[in-house]
Amino acid sequence: MLGIRSAVASLLPLRAAFRAAAMSTLLISQPRYAWLRELGLQEENPGVYNGLWGGSGQVVTTYCPANNEPIASVRQASLEDYEDTVKKAKEAWKIWADVPAPKRGEIVRQIGDALRKKIKVLGSLVSLEMGKIFVEGIGEVQEYVDVCDYAVGLSRMIGGPILPSERPGHALIEQWNPVGLVGIITAFNFPVAVYGWNSAIAIICGNACLWKGAPTTSLISVAVTKIIAKVLEDNKLPGAICSLVCGGADIGTVMAKDERMDLLSFTGSTKVGKQVALMVQERFGRSLLELGGNNAIIVFEDADLNLVIPSALFAAVGTAGQRCTTARRLFLHESIHDEVVAKLANAYAQVRIGDPWDSDTLYGPLHTREAVKMFLDAVEQAQQQGGSVVCGGKVINRPGNYVEPTIVTGLRHNAPIVHTETFAPILYVLKFKEEEEVFAWNNEVKQGLSSSIFTKDLGRIFRWLGPKGSDCGIVNVNIPTSGAEIGGAFGGEKHTGGGRESGSDSWKLYMRRST
């Protein structure tokens, strides 16, 4: 027995040395990335917050898509951690629901100000861990700041009407109350903004929030929550009002099935979203779904090509084709098809590819190695189905998950690959002859998120906006499919899920109506 103990004891220094060596390979341990500590991050980070930081689940390391080097690790939530956090969030809600809405707005204002102070360093983390270029990383944090500003004003405006009663001496009132606990599951591609759209509106409505971000962007989830937690703690409010549980599909499944989750907001693929919707519906719960998009730009013969070329480029190549609003189909009138393709290919050749945190980079990596394989598979399928690769189509020979932005022509409008949303920078360019047919082709895919036409014909514009025009939730004229303003309701129809987030009357989804 003493011999065994002695052997085990002799291994302990080796284990410690191995752990130290592993830590030293992390980017956060290198002087170049010392700025990560400004966000309160360290080599291993707790991935659960409910007023206290913790986590007893699996330790997951996240990687930089630009070089596939490890950044740092996060200890995820166990099912026991999840259970404890839900209980604390429910208790926190009892306090938060009694706070007047304008005072809740004041807390959101402070969260927005705290984000402003960290906007550059947090935007840098988005570039490092998600892979989008620095200006987009900053822009994403700015969206959260903007929706905080919007929510502050909204906190003094939410309310229902007093309606005429048909009974003498009676009042007919619509009273809006918070639903309670809002679960928020977000995707890797907008790891800050989508949580901001949901949480800022949800908490001014009087809800508590429980957030599960994507496992591959866990450091961003931790960093954002640390900023929010400080505001809540400084105001002597329960931190569990904005809880965090980092985790994988096991935590997401439990959230979907949990009857204590009064609303579940899910952003992700249509495939997983369908599973989530069925689990929530089985318990007659509420869900808010933001799923896939197979978005199209339609260019008529009278379009201003000086607008078309940069718009199509930005919509198809921005965020390396990993936005839900990315343009994946480009319909060109047959009379301008060849001219536009030639000009667009020339513009593609000028896109500056590089490290996402370099200020002159316009195009960064895909998020994971799996995404690179998905890109290659889609290009191969497009060619097998009759498509011709005009430019791109290959992996770039450099560290990281870089692929060439790609244009494919010659496919049918209803080719299987054209009707498949591939989360990569592949643009299918298709010819059309008549307005009626191309409007139908826009609408024939299963998703209904974003769409755009380029034309100077006012009659056509209003037909596009009307009942027989685009069936998408976002309908653009002479601007790209990507991008959205926080003042409008963001979301789509059909297999995109039907949910609406951010502005307009999206706040109603986070409340219940009593008449």
Side-chain angles (χ1 to χ4, degrees), residues 218-231:
S218 293
L219 294 173
I220 295 169
S221 300
V222 170
V224 169
T225 301
K226 282 181 178 290
I227 292 169
I228 298 168
K230 186 176 187 308
V231 172

Side-chain angles (χ1 to χ4, degrees), residues 146-183:
D146 289 345
V147 82
C148 283
D149 288 347
Y150 177 86
V152 173
L154 188 62
S155 70
R156 294 180 177 273
M157 297 167 63
I158 51 175
I162 299 175
L163 302 165
S165 173
E166 62 189 36
R167 293 172 292 180
H170 286 68
L172 188 59
I173 298 171
E174 278 191 2
Q175 172 76 34
W176 289 87
N177 291 304
V179 294
L181 178 58
V182 176

Side-chain angles (χ1 to χ4, degrees), residues 9 57 73 77-78 82 88 151 158 182-183 185 216 278 304 311 420 475 509:
S73 63
S78 65
Y82 169 80
K88 288 180 177 177
I158 51 175
V182 176
I185 300 176
T216 53
L278 290 171
D304 182 349
S311 295
T420 301
V475 185
L509 294 170

Side-chain angles (χ1 to χ4, degrees), residues 260 289 331 402-403 438 507:
R260 295 168 298 178
L289 303 175
F331 292 106
Y402 288 85
V403 300
V438 78
W507 60 270

Side-chain angles (χ1 to χ4, degrees), residues 40 54 59 66 73 79-80 87 93 114 124 139 146-147 192 236 289-290 312 329 339 365 443 459 470 501 507 514:
V59 176
S73 63
L79 293 178
E80 292 77 15
K87 288 178 180 176
W93 175 78
S124 296
D146 289 345
V147 82
V192 176
K236 296 181 172 50
L289 303 175
E290 294 286 356
R329 299 176 294 152
E339 179 187 2
N443 296 344
S470 173
E501 295 170 343
W507 60 270
S514 303

